């Protein structure tokens, strides 16, 4: 049995070197293959990576960036290879491991150490009052969960979380089981990342998804990348941006930190990228102050509206509503205040406006640097406003591009993983399965934590993910989860959420994307939806690490048969035996999935309809809506900093692949805080000094993250940055975005305290 190293290397002294001014290249290939070899060995590395993102292979368990119709032999990035290596690892976590390590001991380990131990291979239970997991049979585990669920005073006393890696088929079955039980408590990882995008876009254009395709990016004249680090979080996006650049596009990066991938990209698929030539990416880098994006967009809009020649009046008159009110509002704003709120200079702001004015095909891309502020929804509405002024929706090379992170997070939502699905979806479920689903909205992620904290939830179940490390206010969330009577984690690998338990806790190990899935009708395939609404098939090619693993679909259908029983007439056994029967039901419930099975036969999949591409806007007004919203931006008191939480390069979401962030020059550790040099002088700190980070919020509670090394870095003045999940403890549970209820993890007011 291949065991992970026992050392807890996260305790080594952090080394700080020079940050990089380019991304990928030969170093990216080297690091991808190094980790792959360590986890899988040479033969297994070749078998998996050559099938990754291929038409006859499996979808990357990392990001949701789409593939082009023509694929490279190596159609993956460094972090995609790391994600596969973690899942296809030969390291195993079995009953002997849990016998050796108590839950208390495991909870003292770092996230990196936990992730390095390997794949879970058999169902485990931590009985109430005990501190060790021990084996349990699948039947006993399902019976225990079903008994708890059936014994609840109300179905609403259970909540059911979902990670973005869940397939369409599993997600559909999961939401069906939950609604058949009688609740809409379906929190998911979207609640914490792109919920602000969905909320804003639904109100603005009628569809809560991005409107562009890869070919639009390649045709665009201007691409504005806001609050996003593609080099680490969506590396294959850089290849698309490179093509756009070669086709003449102007790229503008708007971010508090300079990111290597938007400075220069060494494409390892090209001779130029291999020899180190690279492609210069961003024509302009606007180092915005955290939370100043809405002000920047308002300033751009005000400048654009002063020149009637760049305002597309024909488009506005035919397709939009609310323009006159919006134009009057924006023209009345104080440009000097807008510029001050951005932290930029007026020439920089006017330069961006000139870029917009010169472009007839503009795309704005964004990620969590935009979606995780109190005023995130208002900021995204402002993105749409600026695009609407020039008619940049519904034509080639133009539109909105929220870049989602997790592989199938968008597909999960399409399948019904949402606490407030629209009435038409519920009606379709009722027609398909003959029962009336609950109509009252359920709990999202933040409200689920509040409910657990307040003793209103008895059972917590998660399919995938690492709930305890993905969520805010760590101490509150951990205490809330421990109040549950039963916690259930459906997982591939060990993580922190297995160490923070209810009275009784279950770990149900499941197949991963890389594993072959055989059911009664033979080998199965699943499907996923990428960040641009393309749905395609995925099929693993490896023998599962244990014969005692079940697929997510098997786990959910077997549980549903026990917990739901004959309350509803759903063919759970047929669903488990042949996933085509699930897709048949999906085709009748979810628009755009007609002829689902035959469409999946296309090696490139199929693209779901998006009304705005044909300039139809299914909003309450029947048009694309301008929004005149008040200006908001965080104020930074003297002696304080505004902190954003972010990922290292050796990380994807909450999974820590290693302890380096070579693009930012960090080695052998993660407890660092990046601070502007001028701020260090003003605050009286020195580069390399050890500090505690203490957040301050309106509730008066001081939340503390201890033992961080100060790193002098090129951040926006007044702003700092540090890695999550280590800094999630600083994010108050109730500090959330208006409308979307997404944690405001990118604007945390902190002070530094000397150790």
């Amino acid at each position: 049995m291949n065991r992970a190293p026992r050392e807890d290397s996260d305790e080594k002294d952090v080394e700080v070197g020079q940050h990089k001014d380019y991304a990928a290249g030969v170093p990216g290939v080297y690091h991808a293959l190094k980790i792959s070899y360590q986890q899988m060995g040479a033969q297994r590395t070749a078998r998996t990576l050559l099938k990754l993102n291929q038409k006859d292979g499996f979808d990357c368990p990392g990001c949701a960036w789409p593939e082009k119709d023509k694929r490279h032999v190596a159609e993956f990035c460094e972090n995609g290879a790391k994600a596969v290596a973690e899942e296809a690892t030969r390291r195993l976590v079995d009953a002997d491991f849990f016998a050796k390590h108590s839950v208390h001991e495991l909870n003292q380990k770092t996230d990196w150490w936990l992730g390095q131990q390997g794949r879970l291979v058999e169902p485990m239970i931590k009985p109430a009052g005990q501190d060790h997991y021990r084996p349990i049979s699948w039947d006993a585990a399902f019976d225990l969960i079903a008994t708890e669920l059936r014994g609840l005073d109300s179905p609403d006393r259970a909540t059911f979380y979902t990670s973005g890696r869940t397939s369409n088929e599993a997600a559909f079955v999961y939401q069906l089981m939950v609604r058949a039980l009688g609740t809409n408590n379906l929190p998911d990882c979207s609640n914490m990342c792109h919920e602000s995008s969905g909320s804003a876009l639904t109100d603005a254009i009628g569809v809560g998804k991005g409107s562009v395709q890869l070919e639009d990016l390649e045709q665009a004249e201007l691409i504005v990348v806001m609050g996003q680090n593609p080099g680490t979080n969506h590396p294959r996006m850089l290849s698309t941006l490179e093509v756009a650049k070669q086709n003449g596009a102007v790229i503008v990066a708007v971010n508090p930190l300079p990111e290597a991938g938007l400075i220069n990209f060494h494409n390892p698929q090209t001779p130029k990228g291999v020899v180190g030539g690279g492609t210069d990416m961003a024509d302009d880098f606007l180092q915005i102050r955290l939370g100043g994006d809405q002000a920047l967009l308002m300033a751009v809009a005000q400048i654009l509206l002063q020149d009637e020649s760049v305002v597309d009046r024909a488009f506005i008159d035919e397709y939009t509503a609310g323009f006159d009110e919006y134009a009057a509002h924006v023209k009345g704003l104080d440009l000097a205040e807008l510029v001050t709120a951005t932290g930029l200079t007026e020439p920089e702001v006017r330069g961006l406006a000139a870029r917009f004015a010169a472009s007839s095909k503009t795309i704005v891309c964004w990620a969590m640097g935009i979606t995780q502020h109190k005023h995130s929804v208002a900021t995204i509405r402002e993105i749409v406003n600026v695009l609407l002024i020039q008619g940049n929706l519904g034509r080639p090379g133009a539109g909105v591009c929220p870049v989602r992170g997790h592989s199938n997070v968008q597909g999960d939502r399409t399948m019904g993983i949402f606490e407030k699905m629209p009435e038409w979806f519920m009606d379709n479920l009722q027609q398909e399965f003959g029962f009336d689903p609950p109509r009252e909205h359920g709990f999202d992620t933040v409200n689920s934590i509040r409910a657990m904290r307040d003793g209103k939830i008895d059972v917590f179940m998660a399919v995938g993910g690492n709930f305890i490390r993905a969520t805010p206010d760590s101490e509150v969330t951990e205490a809330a989860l421990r109040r549950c009577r039963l916690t259930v984690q459906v997982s591939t690998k060990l993580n922190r959420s297995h160490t923070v338990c209810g009275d009784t806790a279950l770990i149900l190990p499941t197949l991963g994307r890389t594993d072959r899935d055989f059911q009664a009708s033979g080998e199965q395939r699943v499907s996923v939806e990428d960040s641009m609404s393309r749905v395609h098939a995925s099929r693993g090619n490896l023998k599962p690490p244990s014969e005692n693993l079940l697929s997510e679909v098997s786990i959910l259908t077997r549980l549903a048969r026990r917990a739901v029983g004959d309350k509803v007439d759903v063919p759970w056994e047929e669903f488990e035996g042949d996933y085509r029967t699930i897709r048949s039901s999906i085709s009748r419930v979810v628009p755009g999935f007609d002829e689902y099975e035959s469409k999946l036969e296309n090696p490139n999949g199929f693209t779901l309809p998006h009304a705005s591409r044909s300039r139809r806007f299914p909003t309450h007004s029947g048009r694309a809506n301008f929004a005149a919203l008040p200006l908001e931006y965080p104020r930074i008191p003297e002696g304080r900093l505004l902190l954003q939480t972010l990922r290292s390069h050796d990380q994807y979401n909450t999974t820590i692949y290693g302890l380096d962030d070579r693009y930012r020059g960090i080695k052998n550790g993660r407890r660092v805080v990046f601070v502007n040099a001028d701020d260090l002088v003003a605050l009286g700190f020195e580069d390399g000094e050890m500090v505690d980070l203490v957040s301050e919020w309106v509730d008066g509670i001081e939340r503390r993250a201890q033992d961080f090394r100060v790193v002098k870095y090129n951040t926006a003045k007044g702003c700092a940055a540090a890695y999550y999940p280590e800094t999630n403890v600083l994010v108050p549970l109730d500090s959330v975005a208006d409308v979307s209820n997404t944690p405001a993890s990118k604007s945390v007011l902190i002070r530094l305290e000397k150790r």
Side-chain angles (χ1 to χ4, degrees), residues 148-175:
E148 286 287 344
L149 292 174
R150 290 197 305 267
L152 295 173
D153 293 339
S154 163
D156 292 328
R157 294 193 66 85
T159 195
F160 300 87
Y161 178 74
T162 318
S163 158
R165 282 174 58 171
T166 305
S167 69
N168 285 343
E169 291 76 8
F172 186 81
V173 168
Y174 193 34
Q175 64 81 30

Side-chain angles (χ1 to χ4, degrees), residues 372-431:
Q372 292 183 325
H373 298 273
K374 182 179 184 297
H375 59 299
S376 288
V377 172
T379 298
I380 297 165
R381 293 299 302 268
E382 206 60 48
I383 290 173
V384 178
N385 288 338
V386 171
L387 291 172
L388 292 177
I389 288 172
Q390 295 182 274
N392 276 313
L393 273 171
R395 65 182 177 209
V400 290
C401 184
V403 181
R404 294 182 178 269
H406 226 161
S407 170
N408 196 41
V409 63
Q410 186 160 295
D412 286 353
R413 180 58 52 88
T414 302
M415 292 296 106
I417 300 293
F418 190 32
E419 73 278 1
K420 46 187 177 184
M421 286 298 287
E423 286 296 310
W424 61 259
F425 184 89
M426 301 302 196
D427 291 342
N428 289 354
L429 276 185
Q430 183 174 14
Q431 183 172 351

